[in-house]
């Protein structure tokens, strides 16, 4: 066999056995150290619990560590990341397709900021236009928005763009009547209605951005491999200014590449779907990715919430390739600006990921898809497991402290020193810390090997300082997130609501009382546990101080890290700089430009009324909204109900109507006409003086 | 029912004063129609005068049939109806409410220059082609794909029930039970 054939075989069959062997060996090594340390005179039930918990957690940590370590080796040996964005030349050189096809850029939205949604799409259209590659792309806003104000604004943005660009860039918009099955249902509805029009769809999130080169390259790669059904381009976090978000952006940009390269190495053709910034072959998606409702009640039954993992698994089950593209840059997303918003996002994702526990053992899925499900579950289950591990360690330490060592017994004349396991315990600790922190050092080492890249991160010195700061803060934040996630998992398992409002995406800062509300209980836990540990097991207390410090400082850390001033100050002195900041990609500049040039959609003379009622007073906006609704046969009963709602709005104001009632008025032509007419027929309507031209 | 609580039927008993009987009423209606036409985009004096007269004539016609309790609402409705009739005639539409709505959105969105003149009957230039070209297309033509829910066969789902059912079948219990159910 030729050398090329051998290396191809090795590339195909070596990665997974190598990776899983490394993970298992590391876990077994750590486990053997710990079991040697605690098996003093047999294993108690508590010690057995500790060992089981430690095994699960070590599997999780070492899986993550080896992904990063392999990623480091891959990147160090073949610096793919030096040419992250696919060169435009290769795009221009590619042969035209045998038969023309279209690619839809679909953006499912649900009550998102319409200004940002449309500015993002415009920025991507501009980026495609700049490289002369607009042909074959169409933009589709798939709105599941329920809020009347946002719904009307989306329509106005759509109208504005359509008027500006005409037929040059097709931009389509639809608002779904019922948001059945949420985002997965939204995409499925798109496939059912218009899927036949497109060969590919590039799925975007409301805060996604992709460069023109990357969009074109994604299509080219799909065309090059007829068995490739889904190509995920890892998004890099960008555009936030708060200290917390800039720190995450830095971590995502610097360490993320290691993990992505490592994941691509061992996942191969059974990679995962991250929900957005991915291109999908529409027909196999329609054939295989219709999601059933899971039997039983929520949280584990009903609609599949985290649909992306399941869709990737269904494609893989049907024999299609699902790949990750670690070498493709130009893929961006925005992240929550504050710790509290980050936790809120976790709350949304947590239930969906826990639901995957039921799918792990479902029939027919590939083993790697099962592993993706398990990792999804572990990304939230790890927190309560760590919490249990800490509690069990504390209890074990307490029981150990009750035993007084006996130095002389039997006929021995010399003292029998109790066997010391300090070396084993210290080794366990150091190995665990190494697995957690070494990837950060490897990422720095990678920068040291490439001066240009180091410069993009603000220079090696600044990047090192940023890594140090980020590591310290992540130590403080880890116990806070652990408690948040444990609470979410418990709430989901107990089927109770944690009652948090929706997440805010834009930059904003955490106030004192908001921080107290979110972290007050965590601080109390820190005080209580710290006091008990100090009084009962002083030795354990000092080991426990990093966790306690995180809890005790949760309120000030949450407030301070939410500050945009602090984030921008760090930027000024060269901390947490990312390539997206030092060499801002054109598509990000285009987005900034679009957002800066945003003009009001319509004059809103009164601030006492909601935007949607003022909008319905405007005949142009009314007619636009009416034109975007579908005509339905009317019945006398329906007309009476709508008439009642219009009268209620006129007599008691829009706040007297529920969200559903407001939406009902806006969803039917008959109701809309009644609303428009009654608003104009209001005797007390304030009208400006008339100006009549000749 | 307490004195502070009113029944919906009380509204029927309350007297409604006729609101088209005095010149002040008519002036108020005329003023509102002028405002509404202005909001529609009709700002040229002669166009406004023609259209206001047409609307008021229609409102008067309605007042001869029955007393008007809410003439402002009737006036707005009549203005709207006048616009729709013109659009239907201009486009030659027949029972096509979606196309009518699109044409209305096109003219009111400012995409059809000179439409107010034509609506008021002051222009001979037909706008049929312009109106058709300005047609709104928020979504493309349908190109449906079938997307059925894939089967996901969960492991251990209702395992106990399935095992019991299997055991029941093994011992012929479920057959007996089904037969018993069937006999009712």
């Amino acid at each position: 066999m030729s050398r090329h054939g051998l290396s191809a075989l090795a590339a195909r069959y070596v990665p997974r056995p190598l990776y899983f062997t490394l993970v298992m060996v590391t876990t077994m090594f750590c486990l053997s150290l710990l079991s040697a340390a605690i098996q003093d005179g047999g294993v108690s039930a508590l010690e057995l619990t500790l060992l089981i918990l430690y095994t699960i957690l070590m599997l999780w940590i070492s899986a993550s560590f080896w992904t990063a370590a392999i990623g480091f080796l891959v990147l160090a040996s073949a610096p793919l990341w030096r040419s992250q964005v696919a060169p435009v030349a290769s795009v221009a050189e590619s042969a035209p397709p045998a038969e023309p096809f279209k690619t839809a850029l679909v953006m499912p939205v649900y009550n998102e900021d319409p200004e940002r949604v449309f500015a993002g799409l415009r920025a991507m259209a501009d980026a495609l236009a700049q490289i002369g590659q607009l042909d074959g792309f169409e933009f589709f806003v798939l709105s599941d928005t329920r809020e009347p104000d946002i719904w009307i604004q989306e329509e106005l943005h759509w109208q504005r763009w359509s008027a500006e660009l005409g037929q040059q860039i097709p931009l389509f918009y639809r608002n779904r009547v019922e948001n059945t099955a949420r985002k997965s249902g939204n995409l499925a509805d798109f496939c059912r209605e218009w899927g036949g029009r497109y060969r590919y769809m590039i799925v975007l999130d409301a805060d996604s951005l992709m460069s023109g080169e990357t969009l074109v390259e994604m299509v080219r790669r799909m065309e090059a491999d007829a068995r490739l059904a889904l190509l995920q381009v890892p998004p890099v976090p960008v555009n936030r200014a708060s200290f917390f978000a800039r720190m995450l952006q830095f971590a995502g940009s610097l360490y993320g590449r290691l993990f992505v390269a490592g994941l691509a190495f061992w996942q191969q053709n059974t990679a995962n779907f991250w929900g957005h910034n991915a291109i999908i072959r529409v027909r196999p998606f329609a054939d295989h990715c219709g999601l059933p409702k899971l039997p039983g009640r929520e949280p584990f039954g009903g609609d599949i919430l985290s649909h992306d993992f399941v869709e990737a698994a269904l494609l893989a089950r049907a024999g299609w390739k699902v790949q990750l593209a670690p070498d493709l840059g130009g893929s961006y997303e925005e992240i929550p600006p504050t710790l509290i918003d980050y936790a809120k996002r976790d709350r949304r994702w947590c239930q969906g990921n826990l639901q995957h526990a039921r799918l792990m053992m479902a029939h027919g899925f590939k083993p790697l898809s099962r592993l993706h499900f398990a990792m999804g579950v572990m990304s939230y289950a790890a927190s309560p497991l760590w919490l249990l591990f800490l509690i069990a360690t504390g209890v074990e330490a307490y029981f150990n402290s009750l035993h007084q060592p006996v130095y002389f017994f039997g006929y021995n004349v010399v003292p029998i020193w109790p066997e010391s396991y300090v070396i084993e315990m210290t080794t366990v600790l150091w190995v665990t810390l190494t697995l957690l922190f070494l990837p950060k050092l490897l990422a720095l080492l990678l920068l040291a090997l490439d001066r240009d890249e180091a410069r993009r991160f603000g220079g090696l010195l600044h990047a090192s300082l940023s890594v140090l700061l980020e590591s310290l803060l992540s130590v403080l934040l880890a116990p806070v997130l652990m408690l948040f996630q444990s609470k979410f998992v418990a709430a989901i398992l107990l089927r109770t609501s944690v009652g948090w409002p929706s997440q805010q995406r834009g930059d904003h800062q955490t106030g004192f009382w908001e921080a107290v509300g979110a972290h007050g209980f965590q601080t109390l836990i820190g005080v209580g546990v710290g006091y008990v540990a100090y009084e009962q097991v002083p030795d354990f207390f000092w080991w426990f101080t990093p966790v306690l410090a995180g809890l005790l400082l949760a309120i000030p850390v949450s407030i301070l890290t939410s500050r945009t001033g602090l984030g921008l100050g760090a930027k000024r002195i060269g901390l947490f700089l990312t390539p997206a900041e030092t060499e801002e990609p054109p598509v990000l500049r285009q987005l900034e430009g679009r957002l800066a040039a945003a003009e009001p959609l319509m004059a809103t003379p009164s601030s006492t009324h909601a935007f949607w009622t003022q909008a319905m007073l405007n005949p142009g906006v009314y007619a636009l909204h009416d034109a975007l609704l579908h005509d339905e046969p009317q019945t006398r009963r329906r007309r009476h109900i709508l008439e009642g709602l219009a009268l209620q709005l006129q007599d008691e104001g829009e706040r007297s109507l529920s969200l559903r009632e407001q939406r009902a008025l806006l969803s039917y032509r008959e109701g809309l006409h009644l609303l428009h007419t009654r608003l104009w027929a209001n005797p007390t309507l304030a009208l400006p003086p008339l100006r009549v031209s000749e | 029912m307490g004195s502070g609580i009113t029944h919906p039927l009380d509204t029927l008993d309350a007297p409604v004063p006729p609101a088209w009987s005095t010149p002040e009423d008519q002036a108020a209606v005329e003023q509102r129609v002028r405002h509404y036409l202005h909001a529609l985009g009709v700002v040229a004096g002669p166009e406004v005068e023609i259209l206001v007269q047409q609307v008021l004539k229609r409102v008067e016609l309605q007042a001869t049939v029955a007393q008007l309790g809410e003439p402002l609402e009737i006036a707005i409705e009549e203005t709207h109806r006048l616009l729709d009739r013109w659009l239907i005639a201009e486009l030659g539409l027949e029972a096509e409410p979606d196309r009518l709505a699109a044409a209305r959105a096109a003219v009111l969105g400012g995409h059809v220059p000179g439409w107010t003149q034509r609506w008021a009957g002051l222009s001979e230039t037909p706008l049929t082609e312009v109106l058709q070209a300005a047609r709104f297309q928020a979504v493309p033509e349908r190109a449906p794909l079938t997307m059925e829910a894939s089967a996901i066969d969960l492991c251990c789902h209702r395992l106990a029930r399935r095992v019991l059912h299997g055991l029941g079948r093994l011992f012929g219990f479920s057959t007996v039970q089904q037969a018993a159910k069937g006999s009712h």
Side-chain angles (χ1 to χ4, degrees):
Chain A
M1 190 177 281
S2 69
R3 182 189 281 186
H4 180 73
L6 272 176
S7 62
L9 266 181
R12 185 169 178 191
Y13 292 109
V14 168
R16 284 184 201 167
L18 176 70
Y19 171 74
F20 290 115
T21 306
L22 288 168
V23 171
M24 292 309 292
V25 166
T26 311
T27 307
M28 295 309 291
F29 171 69
C30 294
L31 189 63
S32 65
L33 284 175
L34 186 69
S35 58
I38 64 175
Q39 269 187 45
D40 187 13
V43 180
S44 66
L46 186 61
E47 287 166 345
L48 187 64
T49 309
L50 265 175
L51 285 175
I52 292 170
L53 287 171
Y54 188 70
T55 309
I56 299 169
L57 293 168
M58 272 315 294
L59 272 173
W60 178 237
I61 294 173
S62 60
S64 173
F65 168 77
W66 282 113
T67 300
I70 289 172
F72 168 76
L73 293 173
V74 169
L75 294 177
S77 57
L80 296 166
W81 46 298
R82 283 181 192 159
S83 55
Q84 275 237 320
V85 177
V88 185
S90 70
V91 170
E93 284 160 14
S94 59
E99 58 177 283
F101 61 89
K102 289 179 194 296
T103 302
L105 273 89
V106 297
M107 189 178 271
V109 293
Y110 175 82
N111 294 342
E112 302 288 349
D113 173 13
E115 195 84 55
R116 170 61 183 83
V117 165
F118 283 86
L121 286 173
R122 285 299 299 267
M124 284 184 269
D126 293 345
L128 280 168
Q130 273 180 1
I131 56 170
Q133 296 285 338
L134 256 175
D135 286 349
F137 285 99
E138 291 185 348
F139 293 76
F140 226 120
V141 178
L142 303 173
S143 171
D144 256 357
T145 292
R146 305 290 99 184
E147 287 286 344
D149 284 359
I150 301 177
W151 184 11
I152 304 296
Q153 286 172 35
E154 284 172 0
E155 290 176 347
L156 290 171
H157 277 285
W158 169 78
Q159 185 198 32
R160 182 184 281 179
W161 187 3
S162 301
E164 277 176 32
L165 299 171
Q167 298 298 315
Q168 191 195 352
I169 305 173
L171 169 69
F172 300 116
Y173 171 87
R174 78 99 172 82
N175 181 276
R176 207 154 54 121
V177 178
E178 297 287 337
N179 63 337
T180 316
R182 305 176 209 199
K183 190 174 169 185
S184 64
N186 196 354
L187 276 178
D189 180 76
F190 166 77
C191 290
R192 289 189 188 110
E193 292 291 324
W194 302 286
R197 184 181 171 90
Y198 303 103
R199 187 177 294 178
Y200 307 114
M201 60 177 172
I202 296 176
V203 181
L204 302 163
D205 224 356
D207 53 18
S208 290
L209 262 189
M210 301 194 86
S211 75
E213 291 88 345
T214 300
L215 291 170
V216 176
E217 177 63 12
M218 288 161 86
V219 175
R220 194 194 65 74
R221 290 190 188 189
M222 296 296 281
E223 282 292 282
D225 187 347
R227 294 303 303 164
L228 180 58
L230 192 151
L231 182 69
Q232 174 68 57
V233 183
V236 173
V238 292
N239 270 355
R240 289 277 169 264
S242 73
F243 191 87
F244 176 81
R246 288 203 62 247
M247 192 178 72
L248 288 195
Q249 283 168 190
F250 173 79
S253 301
L254 185 63
Y255 318 141
R257 68 182 71 205
L258 267 69
F259 286 95
V260 168
L263 286 173
F265 175 81
W266 63 265
Q267 292 183 349
Q268 297 176 311
N269 289 327
T270 318
N272 212 346
F273 177 29
W274 301 8
H276 54 92
N277 293 37
I279 185 166
I280 297 173
R281 199 177 291 274
V282 176
R283 196 165 283 275
F285 184 83
D287 288 344
H288 305 291
C289 295
L291 297 183
K293 278 195 173 196
L294 294 181
R297 286 192 301 143
E298 284 191 349
F300 293 106
D303 288 327
I304 294 176
L305 301 178
S306 288
H307 57 96
D308 36 14
F309 283 42
V310 186
E311 285 156 355
L314 288 168
L315 285 172
R317 184 176 81 171
W320 290 89
K321 291 182 189 173
V322 178
Q323 289 181 350
L324 186 61
D327 58 326
L328 265 184
S331 172
Y332 311 98
E333 65 174 343
E334 289 169 0
I335 51 171
T338 69
L339 175 61
I340 294 175
D341 286 311
Y342 189 85
K344 284 178 186 173
R345 189 182 70 171
D346 267 354
R347 172 65 185 86
R348 286 209 322 271
W349 288 359
C350 183
Q351 187 170 341
N353 280 31
L354 291 186
Q355 207 180 31
H356 291 168
R358 292 187 79 187
L359 301 172
M360 278 191 297
M361 299 305 288
H363 298 292
F365 286 128
K366 287 194 168 185
L368 218 56
S369 298
R370 298 181 196 283
L371 184 67
H372 293 321
F373 290 139
M375 290 176 109
V377 173
M378 267 308 283
S379 55
Y380 291 99
S383 282
L385 291 178
W386 272 116
L387 185 62
L388 286 175
F389 182 76
L390 286 174
I391 293 169
T393 313
V395 174
E396 172 77 358
Y398 172 71
F399 283 131
N400 284 345
S401 72
L402 296 178
H403 294 292
Q404 294 296 322
V406 180
Y407 299 100
F408 296 96
F409 56 89
Y411 296 103
N412 294 307
V413 288
V414 288
I416 306 297
W417 299 102
E419 202 171 337
S420 169
Y421 294 100
V422 169
I423 295 173
E424 283 86 346
M425 282 307 287
T426 312
T427 313
V428 169
L429 183 69
W430 279 111
V431 169
T432 310
L433 288 176
T434 303
L435 293 183
L436 287 172
F437 290 99
L438 189 58
K440 297 173 194 270
L441 295 178
L442 291 178
L444 268 182
L445 185 58
L446 215 51
L447 282 193
L449 296 174
D450 187 332
R451 291 179 115 185
D452 286 342
E453 194 62 7
R455 188 177 44 75
R456 290 186 197 110
F457 281 92
L460 193 58
L461 183 68
H462 283 108
S464 306
L465 203 56
S466 303
V467 167
L468 183 69
L469 265 175
E470 188 273 334
S471 301
L472 287 172
L473 269 165
S474 66
V475 169
L476 288 179
L477 295 176
V480 177
L481 288 172
M482 177 183 72
L483 286 194
F484 268 136
Q485 291 176 351
S486 301
K487 182 171 118 180
F488 299 154
V489 171
I492 288 163
L493 294 178
L494 295 170
R495 296 192 166 92
T496 56
S497 167
V498 288
W500 260 4
S502 62
Q503 168 203 336
Q504 293 180 47
R505 284 189 194 265
D507 273 318
H508 65 102
Q509 304 185 29
T510 303
F512 176 73
W513 291 112
E514 187 188 2
V516 169
H519 304 292
F521 192 60
Q522 295 169 346
T523 309
L524 284 178
I525 288 176
V527 171
V529 170
Y531 175 75
V532 171
Y534 188 75
E535 284 293 314
Q536 301 297 324
V537 204
D539 290 344
F540 180 69
F541 173 81
W542 295 110
W543 285 103
F544 207 48
T545 44
V547 176
L548 293 176
L551 297 179
L552 292 174
L553 297 173
I555 292 172
V557 165
S558 184
I559 294 171
L560 286 173
T561 55
S562 74
R563 295 289 178 259
T564 49
L566 210 57
L568 294 172
K571 187 179 181 179
R572 273 194 295 278
I573 58 171
L575 289 177
F576 303 126
L577 287 176
T578 63
E581 289 175 337
T582 50
E583 289 178 7
E584 194 177 20
V587 72
L588 294 186
R589 278 203 302 275
Q590 276 147 354
L591 173 67
E592 271 175 30
R594 288 281 170 200
L595 288 172
E599 289 171 10
L601 290 165
M602 55 171 260
T604 46
S606 157
S607 58
T608 52
H609 292 289
F611 179 86
W612 67 275
T613 47
Q614 292 188 58
M616 284 307 110
L617 198 59
N618 182 319
V621 182
Y622 153 71
L624 170 70
H625 185 73
D626 181 74
L628 296 180
L629 296 176
H630 298 289
D631 190 56
E632 286 182 59
Q634 294 302 318
T635 61
R636 190 180 289 270
R637 179 179 287 271
R638 183 183 274 183
R639 186 184 158 84
H640 282 169
I641 292 168
L642 294 170
E643 209 158 23
L645 292 176
L647 283 170
Q648 187 181 335
L649 180 129
Q650 194 177 19
D651 296 345
E652 298 167 33
E654 63 245 1
R655 285 187 188 84
S656 70
L657 299 177
S658 69
L659 186 68
R660 193 173 170 209
E661 288 169 335
Q662 292 174 17
R663 200 178 153 81
L665 262 181
L666 289 174
S667 297
Y668 302 98
R669 283 189 170 158
E670 189 112 21
L672 202 64
H673 179 70
L674 283 165
L675 175 65
H676 179 68
T677 312
R678 293 214 71 92
L679 286 171
W680 265 99
N682 183 357
T684 60
L685 180 67
L687 291 163
L690 275 178
R691 281 174 298 167
V692 179
S693 62
E694 292 305 316
Chain B
M1 192 176 281
S3 58
I5 301 171
T6 56
H7 192 275
L9 288 179
D10 293 346
T11 311
L12 295 177
D13 300 333
V16 179
W20 186 251
S21 49
T22 65
E24 289 77 22
D25 291 340
Q26 293 173 15
V29 170
E30 185 184 325
Q31 191 63 6
R32 184 60 59 95
V33 172
R34 285 178 187 279
H35 270 107
Y36 189 60
L37 284 170
H38 191 267
L40 293 180
V42 185
V43 288
E47 295 168 14
V48 173
E49 291 310 319
I50 292 170
L51 292 169
V52 165
Q53 290 314 311
Q54 288 183 19
V55 172
L56 291 180
K57 200 177 284 180
R58 285 162 175 274
V59 177
E60 268 173 28
L61 188 68
Q62 291 224 20
T64 57
V65 176
Q67 290 197 49
L68 300 183
E70 293 174 322
L72 286 178
E73 191 172 339
I74 301 291
I76 299 299
E77 273 180 356
E78 284 302 335
T79 314
H80 221 262
R81 208 164 284 147
L82 195 68
L83 173 65
D84 283 354
R85 283 193 182 170
W86 169 69
L87 284 169
I88 288 167
E90 194 75 20
L91 284 165
L93 298 177
E94 285 178 20
E96 293 169 282
D98 285 340
R99 284 194 66 194
L100 173 64
R104 199 191 300 127
V107 294
L108 298 183
H111 303 292
V112 184
W115 72 274
T116 53
Q117 220 178 358
R118 176 78 176 156
W119 182 25
L122 298 175
S123 166
E124 295 296 317
T125 317
L127 293 172
T128 317
E129 283 182 18
V130 189
L131 279 169
Q132 280 169 344
R135 201 178 144 195
F136 274 68
Q137 198 188 9
V139 290
E141 293 295 319
R142 283 187 79 234
L145 283 183
T146 308
M147 191 167 179
E148 301 294 338
S150 288
I152 296 180
D153 192 5
L154 296 178
C155 171
C156 311
H157 174 57
R158 292 177 175 165
L159 187 63
R161 193 180 294 185
R162 276 154 58 185
V163 168
L164 284 175
H165 187 68
L167 285 173
R169 260 199 316 208
L170 189 70
F171 294 109
F173 180 67
S174 57
T175 325
V176 174
Q177 219 176 25
Q178 274 172 7
K181 273 183 189 168
S183 67
H184 285 289

